[in-house]
Amino acid sequence: MLNGDKMIIGYDLSYQYAQISYCRLHEETPKTYALNTETRQYNIPACLFKRQKANQWFLGKEASSLSKQEEGTFLDNLLLNALEKDEILIEEESFETIALLALFIKRSLYLPEKECRLDRVAGIMFTIPVLTDKVISL
């Protein structure tokens, strides 16, 4: 693979949203993934939805929509929960909050796959609202 095909990802995670930008090594200006290119909606809602009695997880805008239509568990404040709680009980099953945050991050990184294939990623940088020892340990 040519070095020009390699990319760097910038992952901005706030308490309510995530935003993913990417740049090829030979380019000077990064691009930001848009959920909707017409409205330039760049913010991915930082939330998950678990369908009731099924091991089906959805994230972002889809999770928000499903939470209004279907029975299940809607989880927001993923970063805050990972910082403040060890576990969350969902349908009598315990989930580590760090694992739920990791699930959101992992799945959201596949959203811009058309523009930014993960097999071409040379590096990734995370930004967050406040850097603390606890955040670093996450």
Side-chain angles (χ1 to χ4, degrees):
M1 181 182 313
L2 297 173
N3 204 24
D5 289 340
K6 292 283 190 176
M7 306 182 103
I8 302 292
I9 292 179
Y11 193 103
D12 185 18
L13 180 63
S14 73
Y15 295 109
Q16 287 89 20
Y17 297 99
Q19 198 173 87
I20 302 170
S21 298
Y22 51 93
C23 189
R24 286 183 176 73
L25 292 181
H26 70 278
E27 294 177 347
E28 292 184 24
T29 306
K31 296 177 179 109
T32 300
Y33 169 73
L35 288 172
N36 184 329
T37 53
E38 291 176 14
T39 62
R40 294 185 176 182
Q41 182 183 359
Y42 300 113
N43 291 337
I44 303 162
C47 58
L48 293 169
F49 178 79
K50 181 187 178 299
R51 189 169 273 153
Q52 187 174 17
K53 298 180 183 176
N55 191 24
Q56 291 181 310
W57 293 86
F58 303 89
L59 72 133
K61 196 174 179 182
E62 187 177 18
S64 296
S65 295
L66 285 172
S67 71
K68 296 170 185 128
Q69 302 167 13
E70 292 191 27
E71 291 205 22
T73 303
F74 179 72
L75 301 162
D76 57 357
N77 298 313
L78 299 174
L79 177 58
L80 190 61
N81 285 337
L83 291 170
E84 294 182 352
K85 302 175 185 176
D86 291 328
E87 296 180 341
I88 292 179
L89 195 63
I90 302 172
E91 296 178 26
E92 300 179 21
E93 186 177 349
S94 185
F95 291 87
E96 291 182 4
T97 55
I98 292 173
L100 294 172
L101 177 62
L103 176 67
F104 172 80
I105 291 170
K106 180 181 176 182
R107 290 206 177 169
S108 64
L109 282 170
Y110 283 97
L111 291 173
E113 190 172 37
K114 184 177 176 183
E115 301 92 358
C116 178
R117 291 189 19 210
L118 292 180
D119 63 340
R120 294 184 178 160
V121 174
I124 185 166
M125 178 201 282
F126 285 88
T127 60
I128 50 162
V130 178
L131 187 62
T132 64
D133 289 340
K134 185 134 188 181
V135 170
I136 292 169
S137 71
L138 283 178

